[in-house]
Amino acid sequence: MHIYDKEFIQGELPMTKQEVRAVTVAKLQLKPNSILMDVGAGTGTIGIECATYLRDGKVIGIEKEEKGLETIKENVKKFNLTNYELIHGRAPESIPNIAYDRMFIGGSTGSMRSILEHFINYSTNDARLVINTITLESLSDTMALLKEYGFKDIEVVNMMVSRGKKVGPYTMMYGENPIYIIAINK
């Protein structure tokens, strides 16, 4: 079930908006028993929504910011999730060295290369990786790394969402930040 933004407890950190979250979750192509590594979990909205789809799987969220950790904990409790594990730390050092079949990277803090190496070394043969970036530099650097590591059929979607807001008797559209969603199969 898709979770709307207003249903989440929101902290101080920005959260992935519901339209972008819906496309990102779809690109992950989750299976009921998937194990998802949510790297740079932020406020946890991607991983939390994914956890609601995983009957026999689980989400492992990795986040370094205290503000994000508290918001994630509150939302995990709110949605009564028993299949979401939160790890306080930086990636890739804090990513468990276990087999997993899905990875989402929402933030890498400059460690994209080593996070990708973790994905290559520990994910299953049928694994899928989805990366969201906002800046052109991050998009360019990530694409170069994926090509360097030999990934084929790299899918990139640029998504722009505008929201209508009342201005007197009129509705004006206000744009959210454009985002790049990169998806690959191992």
Side-chain angles (χ1 to χ4, degrees):
M1 152 192 96
H2 181 65
I3 304 172
Y4 284 82
D5 288 349
K6 64 184 178 189
E7 296 176 67
F8 281 101
I9 296 167
Q10 295 184 31
E12 295 179 36
L13 297 176
M15 67 182 227
T16 303
K17 300 295 184 263
Q18 63 197 36
E19 296 84 1
V20 173
R21 198 167 53 251
V23 172
T24 301
V25 171
K27 294 295 180 189
L28 280 164
Q29 298 177 3
L30 297 168
K31 296 185 247 175
N33 65 342
S34 285
I35 297 176
L36 169 67
M37 294 294 170
D38 182 6
V39 177
T43 58
T45 58
I46 297 277
I48 287 167
E49 184 155 334
C50 287
T52 67
Y53 296 108
L54 300 175
R55 286 189 308 275
D56 302 313
K58 73 186 254 180
V59 174
I60 301 171
I62 294 99
E63 177 53 44
K64 64 182 179 67
E65 297 290 337
E66 287 288 341
K67 293 174 187 175
L69 294 169
E70 291 310 311
T71 303
I72 292 169
K73 288 174 188 174
E74 289 176 28
N75 279 306
V76 165
K77 185 176 179 181
K78 178 181 180 180
F79 293 103
N80 198 27
L81 298 172
T82 57
N83 62 346
Y84 190 104
E85 177 185 336
L86 182 58
I87 297 173
H88 181 193
R90 283 182 51 111
E93 302 84 17
S94 297
I95 304 173
N97 295 335
I98 61 170
Y100 54 90
D101 67 330
R102 297 293 184 270
M103 178 182 272
F104 170 69
I105 303 173
S108 65
T109 318
S111 300
M112 186 63 76
R113 177 180 295 278
S114 52
I115 295 169
L116 287 175
E117 288 172 359
H118 193 284
F119 177 78
I120 291 165
N121 292 327
Y122 290 96
S123 68
T124 59
N125 290 334
D126 64 341
R128 186 153 173 87
L129 170 65
V130 175
I131 305 165
N132 285 4
T133 71
I134 295 174
T135 69
L136 292 172
E137 292 80 5
S138 293
L139 173 66
S140 177
D141 293 348
T142 299
M143 292 297 290
L145 281 171
L146 291 172
K147 290 174 184 174
E148 177 185 326
Y149 282 115
F151 288 105
K152 306 279 189 240
D153 301 320
I154 303 168
E155 178 185 11
V156 181
V157 173
N158 175 234
M159 191 171 174
M160 293 177 260
V161 174
S162 297
R163 296 183 187 282
K165 296 192 178 165
K166 283 297 210 186
V167 179
Y170 302 102
T171 302
M172 288 187 61
M173 299 305 290
Y174 288 88
E176 300 284 349
N177 287 330
I179 192 159
Y180 299 94
I181 302 171
I182 306 163
I184 60 161
N185 291 318
K186 187 173 180 186

